């Protein structure tokens, strides 16, 4: 598609000889909304707060064009030429290696560039306009509030008050809370405050699993609030909701939408390593908005900023049930790789597994590489046939995790994919080859955090089987001990 500039507005043409691709119109016209125009409420609902491709809008081009000419729809270039090359306006990518060009049948250009970085969301190219709503916004209905009778712990209550204040003041806040602190409950009062102020809220998380878990939980405690769960293939993709639970990838479709954004697991992959996801969070928030980050393991830069009072933060050093965090035990595992090649595991690992199986206590065994999972499972099945392995690309991953949750699988052999999100009430954790680089301080703290989360089973065993201690192992242990010490000194632990 190409565009003519006619009487102060862009007019689309499908002729390859007429007009120009939208990116070649150096200054796009600004059209003031006509107050007498009768706009389509359905189009308003679909586009308000979004920035979408034409293929994502279920309305005829003629309808979009009429609304554009009356100032109710805005067109933006998808790919912009900048001094250093190209910029994708949807995902913020300016890395030249993540752009490619092709002979485009839509605009007729022999070299039409497109962004490879966000292509999984639909192709944005130099001739692709992004459509957004520039008319009156959809009004957010006031919610009847929170339906929850639980009680917050001392640490949770302190953090909850800070979250409420951040929502009121439109400021940023880091909630640094240990694994199992009960971060979701800490958000309830802040969400309630935002809803009473008729604000739009988004909880963004790197993982689909978390979206699927959080959406029903939040709908239950905010029963009169419209809640949308957004992830790849979600049925709520075009739902207009007051409270949105979304993967960070889906935020690429939003622009200046939310009054309050809460980013869960801010240190987790892929969010922590992908600048476009961080760009999506900033792009989807309103200029005047609050931004709240949640994590148990902030990176070194953020820790330093907190210590120097350059980043506002509140810490929850104890779990909601008031028991200390289980501290990892370091156990020499010897040259376990050599042993594995011969079809065996260190005797101490075998003994650790036997103890759990005989005590009917479930356990996670984390391994450093997907490539060895099958071999480790084969050896472990000599102890119990029900033992299975899982990793990120496993097509049966959800079914296996469900089986593990149900209690019918005694031990699960896993990659770092299960370092977050899966909670088994009465379980222990071991790491085979904890000296491997994949086991960073953050990963080891998260893995340790699988144990003792339940108030019914607040203790448990965490064992790192190693072939030489690493700095990451030492720092992870130090991190956990420091939190326990802070919790004790602050009076957060039960006597």
């Amino acid at each position: 598609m190409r565009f003519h500039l006619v009487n102060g507005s862009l007019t689309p043409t499908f002729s390859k000889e007429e007009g120009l691709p939208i990116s070649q119109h150096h200054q796009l016209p600004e059209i003031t909304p006509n107050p007498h125009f009768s706009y389509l409420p359905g189009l308003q609902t679909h586009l308000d707060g979004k920035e979408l491709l034409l293929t994502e809008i279920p309305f005829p081009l003629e309808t979009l064009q009429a609304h554009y000419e009356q100032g109710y729809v805005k067109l933006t270039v998808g790919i912009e030429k900048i001094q250093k090359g190209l910029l994708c306006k949807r995902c913020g990518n300016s890395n030249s290696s993540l752009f490619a060009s092709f002979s485009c049948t839509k605009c007729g250009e022999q070299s039409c560039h497109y962004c490879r970085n966000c292509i999984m969301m639909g192709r944005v190219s130099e001739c692709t306009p992004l459509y957004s709503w520039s008319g009156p916004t959809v009004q957010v209905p006031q919610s009847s509030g929170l339906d929850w009778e639980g009680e917050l712990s001392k640490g949770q209550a302190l953090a909850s008050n800070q979250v409420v204040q951040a929502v009121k003041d439109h400021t940023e806040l880091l909630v640094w809370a240990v694994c199992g602190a009960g971060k979701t409950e800490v958000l309830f009062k802040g969400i309630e405050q935002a809803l009473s102020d008729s604000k739009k809220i988004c909880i963004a998380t790197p993982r689909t699993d978390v979206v699927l878990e959080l959406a029903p939980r939040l709908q239950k405690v905010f029963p009169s609030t419209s809640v949308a769960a957004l992830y790849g293939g979600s049925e709520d993709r075009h739902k207009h909701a007051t409270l949105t639970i979304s993967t960070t990838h889906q935020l690429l479709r939003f622009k200046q939408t939310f009054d309050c954004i809460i980013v869960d697991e801010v240190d987790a992959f892929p969010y922590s390593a992908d600048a476009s996801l961080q760009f999506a969070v900033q792009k989807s928030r309103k200029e005047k908005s609050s931004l709240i980050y949640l994590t148990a393991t902030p990176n070194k830069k953020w820790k330093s900023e907190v210590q120097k009072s350059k980043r506002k933060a509140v810490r929850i050093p104890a779990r909601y049930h008031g028991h200390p965090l289980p501290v990892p035990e370091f156990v020499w595992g010897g040259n376990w790789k050599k042993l594995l090649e011969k079809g065996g595991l260190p005797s101490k690992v075998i003994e650790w597994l036997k103890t759990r199986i005989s005590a009917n206590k479930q356990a996670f065994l984390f391994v450093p590489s997907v490539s060895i999972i099958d071999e480790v499972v084969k050896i472990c099945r000599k102890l119990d046939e029900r033992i299975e392995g899982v990793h990120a690309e496993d097509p049966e991953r959800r079914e296996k995790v469900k089986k593990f949750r149900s209690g019918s699988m005694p031990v699960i052999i896993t990659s770092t994919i299960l370092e977050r999100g899966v909670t088994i009430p009465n379980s222990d954790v071991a790491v085979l080859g904890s000296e491997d680089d994949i086991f960073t301080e953050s990963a080891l703290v998260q893995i340790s955090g699988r144990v003792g989360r339940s108030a019914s089973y607040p203790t448990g065993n965490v064992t790192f089987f190693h072939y030489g201690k690493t700095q990451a192992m030492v720092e992870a242990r130090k991190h956990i001990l420091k939190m326990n010490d802070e919790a004790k000194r602050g009076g957060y632990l039960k006597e």
Side-chain angles (χ1 to χ4, degrees):
M1 190 161 62
R2 297 162 77 96
F3 290 89
H4 292 293
L5 188 57
V6 181
N7 298 327
S9 69
L10 295 172
T11 302
T13 174
F14 292 95
S15 167
K16 292 164 190 172
E17 284 75 42
E18 299 174 24
L20 295 167
I22 192 166
S23 61
Q24 292 181 31
H25 287 273
H26 299 299
Q27 196 166 1
L28 301 186
E30 292 281 340
I31 303 173
T32 305
N34 173 7
H36 306 294
F37 178 68
S38 295
Y39 62 86
L40 280 179
L43 181 59
Q44 177 201 33
T45 302
H46 190 86
L47 267 186
D48 186 31
K50 303 275 187 68
E51 195 167 53
L52 302 176
L53 300 171
L54 183 60
T55 52
E56 297 175 303
I57 305 168
F59 291 86
L61 180 59
E62 294 77 17
T63 303
L64 281 173
Q65 184 63 20
H67 281 72
Y68 162 71
E69 289 173 1
Q70 297 297 324
Y72 284 73
V73 166
K74 184 180 178 182
L75 270 63
T76 309
V77 295
I79 306 290
E80 183 182 9
K81 283 188 168 70
I82 56 173
Q83 197 173 0
K84 293 180 180 177
L86 298 169
L87 172 69
C88 176
K89 299 291 280 186
R90 181 170 65 182
C91 75
N93 168 44
S94 59
N95 182 342
S96 59
S97 68
L98 291 174
F99 287 97
S101 63
F102 67 115
S103 178
C104 182
T105 56
K106 289 184 179 177
C107 69
E109 297 291 308
Q110 290 302 304
S111 183
C112 182
H113 290 87
Y114 67 95
C115 178
R116 293 170 50 235
N117 188 58
C118 61
I119 195 164
M120 73 288 184
M121 312 284 285
R123 186 167 60 199
V124 176
S125 62
E126 285 183 283
C127 66
T128 309
L130 294 172
Y131 292 86
S132 57
W133 183 256
S134 52
T137 58
V138 176
Q139 292 305 301
V140 177
Q142 231 180 359
S143 168
S144 62
L146 175 65
D147 183 9
W148 184 68
E149 294 176 3
E151 195 176 323
L152 298 177
S153 68
K154 180 182 173 181
Q156 285 177 310
L158 181 71
S160 174
N161 291 338
Q162 295 259 25
V163 169
V164 170
Q165 204 55 51
V167 170
K168 285 180 178 177
D169 297 342
H170 303 103
T171 52
E172 289 193 16
L173 176 70
L174 168 64
V175 179
W176 179 355
V178 297
C179 297
K183 292 189 284 290
T184 306
E185 290 78 9
V186 165
L187 302 175
F188 287 171
K189 287 288 181 185
I191 294 170
E192 183 181 40
Q193 179 65 49
L195 291 171
S196 71
D197 294 339
S198 296
K199 290 178 175 177
K200 291 188 77 173
I201 310 119
C202 175
I203 299 177
T205 175
R207 298 183 299 122
T208 299
D209 301 14
V210 179
V211 174
L212 293 169
E213 182 199 340
L214 278 182
R217 276 181 74 187
L218 289 165
Q219 185 68 82
K220 189 177 179 182
V221 295
F222 294 103
S224 66
T225 301
S226 59
V227 177
L230 303 183
Y231 51 89
S234 161
E235 290 179 7
D236 290 352
R237 187 168 150 191
H238 299 305
K239 182 178 177 180
H240 200 280
T242 310
L243 175 57
T244 299
I245 323 297
S246 174
T247 59
T248 43
H249 278 94
Q250 295 300 318
L251 291 187
L252 289 167
R253 291 193 172 96
F254 291 86
K255 186 174 182 181
Q256 294 186 355
T257 312
F258 301 107
D259 302 281
C260 173
I261 296 187
I262 299 160
V263 185
D264 189 22
E265 298 186 339
V266 70
D267 61 301
F269 182 85
Y271 181 83
S272 59
D274 192 335
S276 68
L277 298 181
Q278 295 160 32
F279 171 86
V281 166
Q282 295 296 337
K283 179 185 148 194
S284 62
R285 64 186 289 211
K286 289 179 182 174
E287 283 184 33
K288 190 180 179 183
S289 59
S290 49
L291 181 55
I292 296 156
Y293 295 108
L294 308 178
T295 183
T297 47
N299 60 35
K300 285 182 181 177
K301 181 174 179 284
W302 281 30
K303 281 183 187 175
S304 174
E305 287 173 0
V306 171
Q307 284 162 2
K308 293 173 183 174
S309 300
K310 290 182 178 178
R311 181 176 288 277
K312 182 99 182 334
V314 59
R315 265 209 291 253
I316 310 177
R319 287 175 165 169
Y320 69 95
H321 53 52
H323 291 267
L325 301 167
V327 179
E329 178 188 354
F330 296 170
V331 175
W332 176 255
N335 192 345
W336 60 271
K337 286 182 182 175
K338 197 171 182 181
L339 206 55
L340 188 64
E341 285 172 8
K342 295 176 180 177
L345 286 172
S347 58
K348 288 178 181 176
V349 174
I350 295 293
E351 197 54 46
W352 187 92
L353 289 166
K354 280 181 177 176
T355 303
R356 269 80 214 160
I357 293 165
S358 62
N360 206 24
K361 190 171 190 182
Q362 285 184 279
F364 296 82
L365 177 61
F366 285 86
V367 297
S369 168
V370 172
S371 62
I372 67 168
I373 289 177
D374 288 348
E375 186 58 34
V376 173
V377 168
K378 187 179 169 185
I379 297 163
C380 292
R381 276 192 170 162
K382 292 172 185 174
L383 305 176
D384 193 306
E385 289 182 348
R386 297 170 298 164
I387 293 173
E388 294 192 54
V390 71
H391 55 86
E393 302 304 317
D394 187 341
E396 296 176 26
R397 176 178 143 203
R398 284 191 185 170
E399 289 74 18
K400 288 177 181 178
V401 170
K402 194 175 176 182
K403 196 188 287 186
F404 188 51
R405 283 187 198 272
S406 74
S408 59
M409 189 191 301
V411 177
I412 193 163
I413 316 299
T414 177
S415 65
T416 53
I417 189 66
L418 294 190
E419 74 178 44
R420 301 165 189 261
V422 177
T423 301
I424 305 297
N426 184 21
S427 62
D428 289 338
V429 162
V431 179
L432 174 65
S434 58
E435 75 283 351
D436 194 279
D437 290 344
I438 194 79
F439 295 120
T440 60
E441 176 196 339
S442 168
L444 291 171
V445 169
Q446 290 285 351
I447 286 168
S448 302
R450 298 305 94 214
V451 175
R453 294 168 76 100
S454 166
S456 304
Y457 304 97
T459 61
N461 174 271
V462 181
T463 303
F464 294 168
F465 293 103
H466 65 90
Y467 187 38
K469 275 188 280 188
T470 62
Q471 187 67 23
M473 288 167 61
V474 173
E475 290 298 325
R477 194 169 187 273
K478 195 190 292 183
H479 180 125
I480 291 165
L481 287 167
K482 187 179 176 184
M483 282 297 191
N484 281 343
D485 183 54
E486 188 179 325
K488 189 176 181 181
R489 284 187 287 106
Y492 294 100
L493 299 180
K494 289 179 180 176
E495 294 300 322

